[in-house]
Amino acid sequence: MTAIATLGSHCALQVLKGAKDEGFKTILVCEKKREKLYKRFRFIDELIMVDSFVEILDQKCQQTLEQNDAIIIPHGTLIAQMSSEQIESIKTPIFGNKWILRWESDREMKEKLMREAKLPMPRKVKNPNEINNLVIVKRQGAAGGKGYFIASNKEEYNKKRNGLISQGIISKDETLYIQEYAAGVLAYLQFFYSPLLEELEFFGADQRHESDIEGLARIPAEQQLKSNKVSSFNVIGNSPLVLRESLLEEVYTMGENFVDATKRLVAPGMNGPFCIEGVYDENARFTSFEFSARIVAGTNIYMDGSPYYSLLYNEPMSMGKRIAREVKNANESNQLDKIIT
Ligand code: AMP
């Protein structure tokens, strides 16, 4: 029987609980510093202890995974801590499409895919000299919003950038990505595309709580103006969001457009969980600033099933369990090649 494995971070608990519920052996690649935490959970059958997650590339680790006939479920930590080359060189089968993870990490490729999917995006500002509106300045890769900042002109951009360099948060030669700031209600739209059913499922929506930008909003404007602190967008946690029902039609269309675009640009396409992230403005128009081409941590809020999945499944269904169900169905119908890369 195939085992399901993942890295000990991000949404590992949900993924392995779902796998256990579907009858799989569960394996966690665990950093020594987190051993105590993960040993609390009995649904984790085996821990592969490592000093750092890149050891997943070592022969010893790969051998253990191979002996267990394991499939790795990729998540944000894999992308944040390993290069695209390293991820692509993992020999253990990866759930979904490992080639698309590069498109998530690289800002230029990401933009190309989003354009292909016809997602409305905020304007890109090519050069700090061209900042004439409120912009958000981002780092490369899945940095989780850490080190991001807001600026309204070139001087503010330089001042904040230099401040972050001197604090060692960003490096001097790091290319930053500047994008127009989109104001409105944040919504992170979570989907699952099943290549077995050839069907898109909308799982749910969440909002992220980011520090210290949220902290800034809690103090009066007078004190905000006096503050010299460069607020960051470091994700601390997530909370649920249920959308107006009249928005759902467009949500499905965006998800389907995204899946179609991935089929054209990065075979075999967007299989498994993904997320389209953005903002609804005052006219309920969506602007998308980001996508994640794998399970997002925002699905952790629905470990017992989401509102939308309760409409599709007559049982509690987390995203972790949905992934395991897809592996199980593929296994039983000899179609594993359709769901892994
Ligand atoms: P990202 O890494 O692109 O997901 O961005 C991290 C966080 O920055 C998001 O969760 C948003 O809170 C914020 N953000 C990113 N891009 C924009 C944008 N264009 N307009 C407004 N907020 C943004």
Side-chain angles (χ1 to χ4, degrees):
M1 186 56 168
T2 312
I4 288 203
T6 199
L7 303 185
S9 184
H10 193 267
C11 56
L13 291 172
Q14 182 207 157
V15 164
L16 296 188
K17 174 69 168 64
K20 192 73 193 169
D21 288 348
E22 289 298 292
F24 289 96
K25 177 178 178 182
T26 56
I27 301 176
L28 187 81
V29 179
C30 183
E31 286 179 324
K32 288 179 183 138
K33 61 182 182 196
R34 300 226 178 123
E35 181 178 6
K36 203 170 156 209
L37 168 70
Y38 285 108
K39 280 213 159 143
R40 292 173 191 271
F41 301 97
R42 289 189 197 94
F43 54 82
I44 304 176
D45 296 318
E46 186 173 337
L47 269 72
I48 301 178
M49 300 309 302
V50 293
D51 287 312
S52 120
F53 288 131
V54 284
E55 283 175 43
I56 201 172
L57 296 167
D58 294 353
Q59 210 186 350
K60 196 170 146 228
C61 191
Q62 301 248 333
Q63 239 166 22
T64 313
L65 293 170
E66 198 183 319
Q67 279 157 8
N68 281 286
D69 207 3
I71 291 177
I72 295 174
I73 312 302
H75 56 56
T77 304
L78 187 78
I79 298 179
Q81 301 207 4
M82 288 169 75
S83 69
S84 299
E85 288 77 16
Q86 286 173 323
I87 296 172
E88 288 163 6
S89 73
I90 295 175
K91 298 213 171 59
T92 312
I94 292 189
F95 182 79
N97 180 353
K98 71 176 171 186
W99 310 107
I100 204 172
L101 300 176
R102 181 183 282 274
W103 292 70
E104 173 180 337
S105 302
D106 183 297
R107 292 262 171 224
E108 306 298 323
M109 290 171 89
K110 171 171 273 178
E111 219 184 289
K112 185 173 172 193
L113 185 49
M114 290 174 77
R115 217 173 291 123
E116 180 76 16
K118 298 190 214 74
L119 286 170
M121 283 184 287
R123 193 173 64 88
K124 180 184 170 184
V125 179
K126 291 205 184 85
N127 184 309
N129 295 323
E130 291 171 19
I131 302 177
N132 48 24
N133 263 327
L134 201 60
V135 296
I136 180 162
V137 184
K138 305 184 184 189
R139 304 181 61 197
Q140 296 285 337
K146 206 168 183 183
Y148 288 19
F149 61 92
I150 286 176
S152 48
N153 53 47
K154 186 175 120 190
E155 289 68 36
E156 200 182 334
Y157 169 90
N158 284 332
K159 192 172 150 211
K160 290 187 172 170
R161 179 174 170 266
N162 292 339
L164 291 174
I165 292 171
S166 60
Q167 288 172 54
I169 295 175
I170 59 174
S171 71
K172 222 171 170 176
D173 38 47
E174 190 168 337
T175 317
L176 299 177
Y177 183 90
I178 313 171
Q179 187 176 64
E180 212 163 66
Y181 187 85
V185 172
L186 292 165
Y188 300 80
L189 311 172
Q190 309 157 352
F191 300 91
F192 184 93
Y193 179 75
S194 164
L196 300 181
L197 303 173
E198 295 185 3
E199 232 168 56
L200 177 76
E201 297 164 2
F202 177 51
F203 176 70
D206 75 286
Q207 288 200 320
R208 285 187 195 158
H209 297 285
E210 296 163 328
S211 201
D212 185 33
I213 194 71
E214 281 196 16
L216 189 69
R218 284 170 58 92
I219 59 172
E222 199 185 336
Q223 275 75 33
Q224 288 182 18
L225 289 170
K226 286 182 199 147
S227 166
N228 280 324
K229 199 162 172 261
V230 181
S231 286
S232 186
F233 289 75
N234 192 16
V235 183
I236 302 298
N238 306 71
S239 58
L241 179 73
V242 174
L243 296 171
R244 276 172 70 167
E245 197 154 313
S246 56
L247 296 173
L248 287 183
E249 181 66 40
E250 194 208 2
V251 166
Y252 276 99
T253 305
M254 285 194 289
E256 274 162 1
N257 285 345
F258 186 75
V259 170
D260 291 345
T262 60
K263 281 185 179 156
R264 291 191 293 273
L265 291 188
V266 49
M270 182 67 263
N271 295 336
F274 68 97
C275 183
I276 296 177
E277 304 159 13
V279 167
Y280 282 100
D281 73 7
E282 69 274 29
N283 299 313
R285 264 201 303 262
F286 191 73
T287 302
S288 174
F289 47 73
E290 182 78 276
F291 71 81
S292 299
R294 34 78 198 173
I295 184 171
V296 286
T299 58
N300 285 339
I301 52 183
Y302 302 123
M303 291 203 204
D304 217 20
S306 70
Y308 298 101
Y309 261 19
S310 71
L311 303 171
L312 299 180
Y313 293 92
N314 286 322
E315 61 180 307
M317 180 66 74
S318 68
M319 186 55 89
K321 192 171 168 187
R322 179 67 189 87
I323 293 170
R325 180 71 54 91
E326 191 80 351
V327 177
K328 193 158 110 179
N329 290 342
N331 223 350
E332 284 168 4
S333 57
N334 276 328
Q335 298 184 86
L336 269 180
D337 57 320
K338 275 196 178 169
I339 61 148
I340 54 172
T341 42

Short mmCIF file of all heavy atoms in Angstrom, two decimals, residues 121-174:
data_model
loop_
_atom_site.label_atom_id
_atom_site.label_comp_id
_atom_site.label_asym_id
_atom_site.label_seq_id
_atom_site.Cartn_x
_atom_site.Cartn_y
_atom_site.Cartn_z
N MET A 121 -5.11 41.48 -13.03
CA MET A 121 -3.99 41.67 -12.11
C MET A 121 -3.72 43.15 -11.83
O MET A 121 -4.00 43.99 -12.69
CB MET A 121 -2.73 41.08 -12.73
CG MET A 121 -2.64 39.58 -12.66
SD MET A 121 -1.07 39.05 -13.31
CE MET A 121 -1.29 39.30 -15.05
N PRO A 122 -3.12 43.46 -10.69
CA PRO A 122 -2.71 44.85 -10.45
C PRO A 122 -1.58 45.22 -11.41
O PRO A 122 -0.82 44.34 -11.83
CB PRO A 122 -2.18 44.84 -9.01
CG PRO A 122 -2.48 43.51 -8.44
CD PRO A 122 -2.76 42.58 -9.57
N ARG A 123 -1.48 46.49 -11.75
CA ARG A 123 -0.44 46.93 -12.68
C ARG A 123 0.95 46.69 -12.09
O ARG A 123 1.18 46.93 -10.90
CB ARG A 123 -0.63 48.43 -12.97
CG ARG A 123 0.16 48.97 -14.14
CD ARG A 123 -0.24 50.41 -14.42
NE ARG A 123 0.10 51.30 -13.30
CZ ARG A 123 1.27 51.90 -13.14
NH1 ARG A 123 2.24 51.74 -14.01
NH2 ARG A 123 1.51 52.69 -12.10
N LYS A 124 1.85 46.19 -12.93
CA LYS A 124 3.23 45.99 -12.48
C LYS A 124 4.00 47.29 -12.68
O LYS A 124 3.86 47.95 -13.71
CB LYS A 124 3.86 44.87 -13.31
CG LYS A 124 5.27 44.58 -12.94
CD LYS A 124 5.87 43.53 -13.86
CE LYS A 124 7.36 43.43 -13.61
NZ LYS A 124 8.00 42.52 -14.53
N VAL A 125 4.80 47.70 -11.70
CA VAL A 125 5.61 48.90 -11.83
C VAL A 125 7.05 48.44 -12.08
O VAL A 125 7.65 47.77 -11.24
CB VAL A 125 5.51 49.78 -10.55
CG1 VAL A 125 6.38 51.01 -10.67
CG2 VAL A 125 4.04 50.15 -10.30
N LYS A 126 7.56 48.79 -13.27
CA LYS A 126 8.84 48.19 -13.70
C LYS A 126 10.03 48.76 -12.94
O LYS A 126 11.03 48.09 -12.74
CB LYS A 126 9.03 48.41 -15.20
CG LYS A 126 8.05 47.59 -16.04
CD LYS A 126 8.61 47.32 -17.43
CE LYS A 126 7.59 46.59 -18.27
NZ LYS A 126 6.63 47.50 -18.94
N ASN A 127 9.89 50.03 -12.52
CA ASN A 127 11.05 50.73 -12.00
C ASN A 127 10.61 51.65 -10.85
O ASN A 127 9.55 52.27 -10.96
CB ASN A 127 11.55 51.55 -13.21
CG ASN A 127 12.79 52.28 -12.95
OD1 ASN A 127 12.90 53.01 -11.96
ND2 ASN A 127 13.72 52.10 -13.86
N PRO A 128 11.41 51.76 -9.77
CA PRO A 128 11.00 52.64 -8.66
C PRO A 128 10.72 54.08 -9.09
O PRO A 128 9.90 54.77 -8.48
CB PRO A 128 12.19 52.59 -7.70
CG PRO A 128 13.01 51.42 -8.10
CD PRO A 128 12.67 51.06 -9.51
N ASN A 129 11.37 54.51 -10.18
CA ASN A 129 11.12 55.89 -10.67
C ASN A 129 9.69 56.08 -11.15
O ASN A 129 9.20 57.19 -11.26
CB ASN A 129 12.04 56.21 -11.86
CG ASN A 129 13.49 56.22 -11.43
OD1 ASN A 129 13.79 56.68 -10.33
ND2 ASN A 129 14.36 55.71 -12.28
N GLU A 130 9.04 54.96 -11.48
CA GLU A 130 7.67 55.04 -12.03
C GLU A 130 6.59 54.93 -10.96
O GLU A 130 5.41 54.80 -11.28
CB GLU A 130 7.46 53.92 -13.06
CG GLU A 130 8.27 54.11 -14.32
CD GLU A 130 8.22 52.87 -15.21
OE1 GLU A 130 7.33 52.04 -15.06
OE2 GLU A 130 9.13 52.76 -16.06
N ILE A 131 6.99 54.96 -9.69
CA ILE A 131 5.96 54.83 -8.63
C ILE A 131 5.22 56.16 -8.51
O ILE A 131 5.79 57.17 -8.12
CB ILE A 131 6.60 54.47 -7.26
CG1 ILE A 131 7.39 53.17 -7.35
CG2 ILE A 131 5.52 54.37 -6.18
CD1 ILE A 131 8.12 52.77 -6.09
N ASN A 132 3.93 56.16 -8.88
CA ASN A 132 3.16 57.39 -8.70
C ASN A 132 1.82 57.13 -8.02
O ASN A 132 1.01 58.02 -7.88
CB ASN A 132 2.98 58.14 -10.03
CG ASN A 132 2.53 57.20 -11.13
OD1 ASN A 132 1.94 56.16 -10.83
ND2 ASN A 132 2.80 57.54 -12.37
N ASN A 133 1.63 55.89 -7.60
CA ASN A 133 0.44 55.50 -6.83
C ASN A 133 0.93 54.65 -5.67
O ASN A 133 2.10 54.30 -5.61
CB ASN A 133 -0.45 54.60 -7.70
CG ASN A 133 -1.55 55.38 -8.34
OD1 ASN A 133 -2.05 56.35 -7.76
ND2 ASN A 133 -1.94 54.99 -9.53
N LEU A 134 -0.01 54.24 -4.82
CA LEU A 134 0.38 53.35 -3.74
C LEU A 134 0.80 52.00 -4.34
O LEU A 134 0.08 51.42 -5.15
CB LEU A 134 -0.82 53.16 -2.80
CG LEU A 134 -0.48 52.69 -1.38
CD1 LEU A 134 0.42 53.69 -0.68
CD2 LEU A 134 -1.76 52.49 -0.60
N VAL A 135 1.98 51.51 -3.95
CA VAL A 135 2.44 50.21 -4.45
C VAL A 135 2.81 49.30 -3.29
O VAL A 135 3.06 49.75 -2.18
CB VAL A 135 3.68 50.33 -5.38
CG1 VAL A 135 3.36 51.11 -6.63
CG2 VAL A 135 4.88 50.90 -4.63
N ILE A 136 2.83 47.99 -3.59
CA ILE A 136 3.35 47.02 -2.63
C ILE A 136 4.62 46.44 -3.24
O ILE A 136 4.66 46.16 -4.44
CB ILE A 136 2.30 45.95 -2.26
CG1 ILE A 136 2.88 44.95 -1.25
CG2 ILE A 136 1.73 45.22 -3.47
CD1 ILE A 136 1.81 44.14 -0.51
N VAL A 137 5.64 46.32 -2.43
CA VAL A 137 6.94 45.83 -2.91
C VAL A 137 7.16 44.44 -2.33
O VAL A 137 7.07 44.24 -1.12
CB VAL A 137 8.08 46.79 -2.50
CG1 VAL A 137 9.40 46.33 -3.09
CG2 VAL A 137 7.75 48.21 -2.93
N LYS A 138 7.41 43.48 -3.24
CA LYS A 138 7.47 42.08 -2.82
C LYS A 138 8.82 41.46 -3.08
O LYS A 138 9.55 41.88 -3.98
CB LYS A 138 6.43 41.27 -3.61
CG LYS A 138 5.03 41.78 -3.52
CD LYS A 138 4.12 40.84 -4.24
CE LYS A 138 2.72 41.35 -4.25
NZ LYS A 138 1.79 40.36 -4.76
N ARG A 139 9.10 40.40 -2.36
CA ARG A 139 10.32 39.63 -2.58
C ARG A 139 10.01 38.48 -3.54
O ARG A 139 8.86 38.16 -3.79
CB ARG A 139 10.82 39.09 -1.25
CG ARG A 139 11.04 40.20 -0.24
CD ARG A 139 11.56 39.64 1.05
NE ARG A 139 12.85 38.98 0.81
CZ ARG A 139 13.39 38.12 1.66
NH1 ARG A 139 12.77 37.80 2.77
NH2 ARG A 139 14.55 37.56 1.39
N GLN A 140 11.05 37.84 -4.03
CA GLN A 140 10.86 36.67 -4.91
C GLN A 140 10.42 35.48 -4.07
O GLN A 140 10.69 35.43 -2.88
CB GLN A 140 12.18 36.31 -5.62
CG GLN A 140 12.70 37.38 -6.55
CD GLN A 140 11.94 37.47 -7.87
OE1 GLN A 140 11.31 36.52 -8.30
NE2 GLN A 140 12.00 38.63 -8.50
N GLY A 141 9.79 34.50 -4.72
CA GLY A 141 9.49 33.23 -4.07
C GLY A 141 8.37 33.29 -3.06
O GLY A 141 7.69 34.31 -2.92
N ALA A 142 8.18 32.17 -2.34
CA ALA A 142 7.10 32.09 -1.35
C ALA A 142 7.61 32.58 -0.01
O ALA A 142 7.82 31.82 0.92
CB ALA A 142 6.58 30.65 -1.25
N ALA A 143 7.87 33.90 0.07
CA ALA A 143 8.44 34.45 1.31
C ALA A 143 7.39 34.63 2.39
O ALA A 143 7.69 35.01 3.51
CB ALA A 143 9.12 35.78 1.01
N GLY A 144 6.11 34.37 2.05
CA GLY A 144 5.04 34.49 3.04
C GLY A 144 4.79 35.92 3.46
O GLY A 144 4.26 36.18 4.54
N GLY A 145 5.15 36.88 2.62
CA GLY A 145 4.86 38.28 2.92
C GLY A 145 5.88 38.96 3.81
O GLY A 145 5.81 40.17 4.06
N LYS A 146 6.86 38.21 4.30
CA LYS A 146 7.89 38.80 5.17
C LYS A 146 8.81 39.68 4.33
O LYS A 146 9.26 39.27 3.26
CB LYS A 146 8.69 37.67 5.82
CG LYS A 146 9.31 38.08 7.11
CD LYS A 146 9.84 36.90 7.88
CE LYS A 146 10.37 37.41 9.20
NZ LYS A 146 10.96 36.36 9.97
N GLY A 147 9.06 40.89 4.80
CA GLY A 147 9.94 41.79 4.06
C GLY A 147 9.23 42.57 2.96
O GLY A 147 9.85 43.34 2.24
N TYR A 148 7.92 42.37 2.81
CA TYR A 148 7.14 43.18 1.86
C TYR A 148 6.91 44.55 2.49
O TYR A 148 6.85 44.68 3.71
CB TYR A 148 5.76 42.56 1.61
CG TYR A 148 5.73 41.29 0.79
CD1 TYR A 148 6.85 40.50 0.62
CD2 TYR A 148 4.54 40.88 0.20
CE1 TYR A 148 6.78 39.33 -0.13
CE2 TYR A 148 4.46 39.72 -0.54
CZ TYR A 148 5.58 38.94 -0.70
OH TYR A 148 5.51 37.79 -1.43
N PHE A 149 6.75 45.58 1.67
CA PHE A 149 6.40 46.88 2.24
C PHE A 149 5.60 47.71 1.23
O PHE A 149 5.55 47.38 0.05
CB PHE A 149 7.65 47.64 2.71
CG PHE A 149 8.66 47.94 1.64
CD1 PHE A 149 8.63 49.14 0.94
CD2 PHE A 149 9.68 47.03 1.34
CE1 PHE A 149 9.57 49.43 -0.04
CE2 PHE A 149 10.63 47.31 0.35
CZ PHE A 149 10.57 48.51 -0.34
N ILE A 150 5.01 48.78 1.77
CA ILE A 150 4.17 49.66 0.95
C ILE A 150 4.91 50.98 0.75
O ILE A 150 5.59 51.46 1.66
CB ILE A 150 2.82 49.88 1.66
CG1 ILE A 150 1.97 48.60 1.53
CG2 ILE A 150 2.06 51.05 1.09
CD1 ILE A 150 0.67 48.67 2.26
N ALA A 151 4.79 51.56 -0.44
CA ALA A 151 5.41 52.86 -0.69
C ALA A 151 4.53 53.67 -1.64
O ALA A 151 3.74 53.10 -2.40
CB ALA A 151 6.79 52.67 -1.31
N SER A 152 4.66 54.99 -1.57
CA SER A 152 3.85 55.79 -2.49
C SER A 152 4.70 56.65 -3.42
O SER A 152 4.16 57.33 -4.29
CB SER A 152 2.85 56.66 -1.72
OG SER A 152 3.51 57.31 -0.69
N ASN A 153 6.02 56.64 -3.25
CA ASN A 153 6.91 57.30 -4.20
C ASN A 153 8.32 56.71 -4.10
O ASN A 153 8.58 55.87 -3.22
CB ASN A 153 6.94 58.82 -3.98
CG ASN A 153 7.26 59.15 -2.53
OD1 ASN A 153 8.20 58.60 -1.96
ND2 ASN A 153 6.46 60.03 -1.93
N LYS A 154 9.18 57.17 -4.98
CA LYS A 154 10.53 56.60 -5.07
C LYS A 154 11.32 56.79 -3.77
O LYS A 154 12.03 55.89 -3.30
CB LYS A 154 11.25 57.29 -6.24
CG LYS A 154 12.60 56.71 -6.56
CD LYS A 154 13.17 57.36 -7.78
CE LYS A 154 14.48 58.03 -7.42
NZ LYS A 154 14.99 58.87 -8.49
N GLU A 155 11.19 57.97 -3.17
CA GLU A 155 11.95 58.28 -1.95
C GLU A 155 11.57 57.31 -0.83
O GLU A 155 12.42 56.77 -0.13
CB GLU A 155 11.69 59.73 -1.49
CG GLU A 155 12.30 60.81 -2.39
CD GLU A 155 11.65 60.90 -3.76
OE1 GLU A 155 10.41 60.72 -3.86
OE2 GLU A 155 12.37 61.14 -4.76
N GLU A 156 10.24 57.11 -0.69
CA GLU A 156 9.76 56.21 0.37
C GLU A 156 10.25 54.78 0.09
O GLU A 156 10.65 54.07 1.00
CB GLU A 156 8.23 56.26 0.38
CG GLU A 156 7.63 55.78 1.68
CD GLU A 156 6.10 55.80 1.61
OE1 GLU A 156 5.52 56.60 0.84
OE2 GLU A 156 5.51 54.99 2.35
N TYR A 157 10.21 54.40 -1.19
CA TYR A 157 10.69 53.08 -1.60
C TYR A 157 12.14 52.89 -1.18
O TYR A 157 12.49 51.91 -0.52
CB TYR A 157 10.55 52.94 -3.13
CG TYR A 157 11.23 51.73 -3.71
CD1 TYR A 157 10.55 50.52 -3.85
CD2 TYR A 157 12.57 51.78 -4.13
CE1 TYR A 157 11.17 49.40 -4.39
CE2 TYR A 157 13.20 50.67 -4.66
CZ TYR A 157 12.50 49.48 -4.79
OH TYR A 157 13.13 48.38 -5.31
N ASN A 158 12.99 53.88 -1.52
CA ASN A 158 14.43 53.75 -1.21
C ASN A 158 14.67 53.70 0.29
O ASN A 158 15.46 52.90 0.77
CB ASN A 158 15.21 54.92 -1.83
CG ASN A 158 15.35 54.72 -3.33
OD1 ASN A 158 15.36 53.58 -3.82
ND2 ASN A 158 15.43 55.82 -4.07
N LYS A 159 13.95 54.56 1.01
CA LYS A 159 14.14 54.63 2.47
C LYS A 159 13.79 53.27 3.10
O LYS A 159 14.54 52.72 3.90
CB LYS A 159 13.23 55.74 3.03
CG LYS A 159 13.55 56.09 4.45
CD LYS A 159 12.75 57.31 4.89
CE LYS A 159 12.50 57.21 6.38
NZ LYS A 159 11.28 57.82 6.82
N LYS A 160 12.66 52.73 2.71
CA LYS A 160 12.21 51.47 3.31
C LYS A 160 13.10 50.30 2.88
O LYS A 160 13.44 49.44 3.68
CB LYS A 160 10.74 51.20 2.97
CG LYS A 160 9.82 52.17 3.69
CD LYS A 160 8.36 51.83 3.50
CE LYS A 160 7.49 52.71 4.39
NZ LYS A 160 6.07 52.59 4.08
N ARG A 161 13.46 50.31 1.61
CA ARG A 161 14.33 49.22 1.10
C ARG A 161 15.66 49.25 1.86
O ARG A 161 16.13 48.22 2.34
CB ARG A 161 14.56 49.42 -0.40
CG ARG A 161 15.45 48.37 -1.00
CD ARG A 161 15.54 48.48 -2.52
NE ARG A 161 16.60 47.60 -3.00
CZ ARG A 161 17.85 47.99 -3.21
NH1 ARG A 161 18.20 49.24 -3.00
NH2 ARG A 161 18.75 47.12 -3.63
N ASN A 162 16.24 50.44 2.00
CA ASN A 162 17.53 50.53 2.70
C ASN A 162 17.40 50.09 4.15
O ASN A 162 18.28 49.44 4.70
CB ASN A 162 18.07 51.97 2.63
CG ASN A 162 18.47 52.32 1.20
OD1 ASN A 162 18.71 51.41 0.40
ND2 ASN A 162 18.50 53.60 0.87
N GLY A 163 16.25 50.46 4.76
CA GLY A 163 16.01 50.05 6.17
C GLY A 163 16.00 48.53 6.29
O GLY A 163 16.61 47.96 7.20
N LEU A 164 15.34 47.86 5.35
CA LEU A 164 15.25 46.39 5.40
C LEU A 164 16.60 45.74 5.11
O LEU A 164 16.93 44.70 5.68
CB LEU A 164 14.18 45.88 4.42
CG LEU A 164 12.73 46.22 4.80
CD1 LEU A 164 11.77 45.80 3.69
CD2 LEU A 164 12.33 45.55 6.11
N ILE A 165 17.39 46.39 4.24
CA ILE A 165 18.73 45.86 3.96
C ILE A 165 19.59 45.95 5.22
O ILE A 165 20.25 44.99 5.62
CB ILE A 165 19.40 46.63 2.78
CG1 ILE A 165 18.66 46.31 1.47
CG2 ILE A 165 20.88 46.26 2.66
CD1 ILE A 165 19.07 47.16 0.28
N SER A 166 19.53 47.12 5.88
CA SER A 166 20.38 47.26 7.08
C SER A 166 19.93 46.34 8.22
O SER A 166 20.73 45.94 9.04
CB SER A 166 20.45 48.73 7.53
OG SER A 166 19.17 49.17 7.84
N GLN A 167 18.66 45.96 8.21
CA GLN A 167 18.21 45.00 9.24
C GLN A 167 18.50 43.55 8.83
O GLN A 167 18.18 42.61 9.56
CB GLN A 167 16.70 45.13 9.44
CG GLN A 167 16.25 46.39 10.16
CD GLN A 167 14.73 46.49 10.11
OE1 GLN A 167 14.02 45.57 10.50
NE2 GLN A 167 14.23 47.60 9.61
N GLY A 168 19.03 43.36 7.63
CA GLY A 168 19.37 42.01 7.16
C GLY A 168 18.15 41.22 6.70
O GLY A 168 18.22 40.00 6.52
N ILE A 169 17.00 41.89 6.50
CA ILE A 169 15.78 41.17 6.09
C ILE A 169 15.81 40.89 4.59
O ILE A 169 15.39 39.84 4.13
CB ILE A 169 14.52 41.97 6.50
CG1 ILE A 169 14.46 42.02 8.04
CG2 ILE A 169 13.25 41.34 5.93
CD1 ILE A 169 13.35 42.85 8.61
N ILE A 170 16.32 41.86 3.82
CA ILE A 170 16.52 41.60 2.38
C ILE A 170 17.99 41.88 2.04
O ILE A 170 18.65 42.62 2.76
CB ILE A 170 15.57 42.44 1.48
CG1 ILE A 170 15.77 43.95 1.70
CG2 ILE A 170 14.13 42.07 1.70
CD1 ILE A 170 14.96 44.80 0.75
N SER A 171 18.45 41.29 0.95
CA SER A 171 19.85 41.53 0.59
C SER A 171 19.93 42.65 -0.44
O SER A 171 18.96 42.95 -1.13
CB SER A 171 20.51 40.25 0.08
OG SER A 171 19.97 39.95 -1.19
N LYS A 172 21.12 43.25 -0.51
CA LYS A 172 21.36 44.42 -1.36
C LYS A 172 21.05 44.15 -2.83
O LYS A 172 20.52 45.00 -3.54
CB LYS A 172 22.83 44.82 -1.22
CG LYS A 172 23.05 46.28 -1.11
CD LYS A 172 24.49 46.50 -0.76
CE LYS A 172 24.85 47.96 -0.87
NZ LYS A 172 26.21 48.21 -0.46
N ASP A 173 21.41 42.93 -3.28
CA ASP A 173 21.23 42.66 -4.72
C ASP A 173 19.93 41.92 -5.04
O ASP A 173 19.75 41.42 -6.15
CB ASP A 173 22.44 41.91 -5.28
CG ASP A 173 22.99 40.90 -4.30
OD1 ASP A 173 22.17 40.14 -3.74
OD2 ASP A 173 24.18 40.90 -4.06
N GLU A 174 19.04 41.85 -4.07
CA GLU A 174 17.77 41.16 -4.31
C GLU A 174 16.88 42.02 -5.22
O GLU A 174 16.66 43.20 -4.96
CB GLU A 174 17.07 40.92 -2.96
CG GLU A 174 15.89 40.01 -3.08
CD GLU A 174 15.38 39.54 -1.71
OE1 GLU A 174 16.12 39.52 -0.73
OE2 GLU A 174 14.18 39.19 -1.67
#
